[in-house]
Amino acid sequence: MTTQAYSTDEIITIAAARLLRNRAVCFVGIGLPSTAANLARLTHAPDIVLIYESGPIGAKPLVLPLSIGDGNLAETAETVVSTPEIFRYWLQGGRVDVGFLGAAQIDRFANINTTVIGDYKKPSTRLPGAGGAPEIASCAGEVVLVLKQSARSFVKKLDFVTSVGHLDGGDARKRLKLPGKGPVAVVTDLCVMEPALETRELTVTRLHPGITREKVTNATGWEIRFAETVGETGLPTTAELETLRDLERRTKLAHGQATAG
């Protein structure tokens, strides 16, 4: 383990990356999910297969992509197929093990909003939209969600349901005959949550180092539940921190956000 200081961005990325197993086929969203997935590829999961919505399969980007259309994804992929093939053959065909997504809002059953904040017709903020998230949330073998935690993002009621998690809980996904398991974990900068076995309501199972239950409660817009036994996220290792920081340094250089000196 390490005694180095680390940021909240680093602990959320590292905690999320650890959930990805080697050789899994992972459908990746841009932002924190992409950072975590590529960190996993560069550390404990070198044979993970990263798929992006634009068609790259087995992408091994040298730097973090700016978007799903970033040329670095196609240039480093084992192959590139059409977007319809990605969705119909890979995702809807049951060939994606993990969908890795972010969100602007999430509720207690891990339904997510990436469409608007506020009233749909006159929103205070218009978000990027659904993209492929509804299909990923419905069809991937399982889903991992990654987002920073606050009472504004972890809300009692979503302003718009973009992608389903566990709907209203219980066996709702089964009743709708959705093929995937849905969200199996939500990773934030404070903790890790998992759906309760029967109700499917998100429950805190691990706190990050130095984070209290009170802090998690204050950053959640509903009465958050804690598991009977709550563990603690392991500290970032030196190797994880160095790999992540080098990846981000290369990315900034490539995108003109930093100088070599």
Side-chain angles (χ1 to χ4, degrees):
M1 307 307 285
T2 182
T3 57
Q4 294 184 60
Y6 54 86
S7 68
T8 53
D9 281 352
E10 288 172 335
I11 189 65
I12 186 175
T13 303
I14 290 169
R18 289 172 177 171
L19 295 179
L20 297 179
R21 63 187 182 276
N22 198 28
R23 296 186 177 86
V25 176
C26 182
F27 203 128
V28 189
I30 294 298
L32 278 172
S34 184
T35 306
N38 280 286
L39 176 61
R41 178 178 62 82
L42 293 169
T43 52
H44 69 277
D47 299 316
I48 193 170
V49 179
L50 302 186
I51 293 178
Y52 288 80
E53 186 178 335
S54 53
I57 297 175
K60 301 177 179 66
L62 302 175
V63 298
L64 295 172
L66 291 171
S67 70
I68 58 169
D70 195 312
N72 193 29
L73 294 175
E75 290 168 2
T76 61
E78 294 180 11
T79 189
V80 179
V81 301
S82 67
T83 297
E85 181 173 330
I86 282 286
F87 282 93
R88 183 66 189 96
Y89 179 81
W90 286 89
L91 186 57
Q92 295 174 357
R95 294 174 175 85
V96 172
D97 298 315
V98 184
F100 214 33
L101 298 172
Q105 285 184 332
I106 186 171
D107 67 14
R108 65 193 181 107
F109 293 116
N111 303 298
I112 66 174
N113 172 21
T114 56
T115 303
V116 294
I117 301 298
D119 181 77
Y120 182 78
K121 294 182 179 179
K122 292 188 67 176
S124 58
T125 304
R126 188 166 293 282
L127 301 168
E135 288 81 7
I136 296 169
S138 298
C139 300
E142 55 189 37
V143 176
V144 175
L145 301 173
V146 187
L147 67 160
K148 292 185 177 180
Q149 189 167 350
S150 72
R152 294 179 63 186
S153 55
F154 282 66
V155 296
K156 185 174 291 188
K157 180 176 174 56
L158 297 179
D159 291 337
F160 187 92
V161 180
T162 308
S163 308
V164 298
H166 294 287
L167 298 115
D168 57 354
D171 65 348
R173 288 184 66 93
K174 183 178 180 180
R175 284 187 276 111
L176 284 183
K177 298 182 180 180
L178 297 177
K181 293 180 181 178
V184 297
V186 176
V187 184
T188 82
D189 49 338
L190 304 180
C191 64
V192 177
M193 303 177 185
E194 298 175 46
L197 186 60
E198 296 296 331
T199 66
R200 312 314 289 168
E201 182 174 346
L202 290 177
T203 303
V204 177
T205 55
R206 288 204 305 278
L207 294 171
H208 296 332
I211 301 299
T212 63
R213 293 188 179 210
E214 181 181 18
K215 190 167 186 176
V216 173
T217 299
N218 291 338
T220 309
W222 68 84
E223 189 175 343
I224 188 67
R225 299 179 183 275
F226 293 83
E228 187 172 332
T229 301
V230 177
E232 183 175 86
T233 303
L235 286 169
T237 66
T238 299
E240 287 170 329
L241 284 174
E242 289 179 350
T243 302
L244 175 57
R245 290 170 181 175
D246 186 57
L247 176 60
E248 292 179 331
R249 178 190 61 80
R250 296 198 309 271
T251 299
K252 289 179 179 179
L253 283 173
H255 297 156
Q257 298 170 344
T259 60

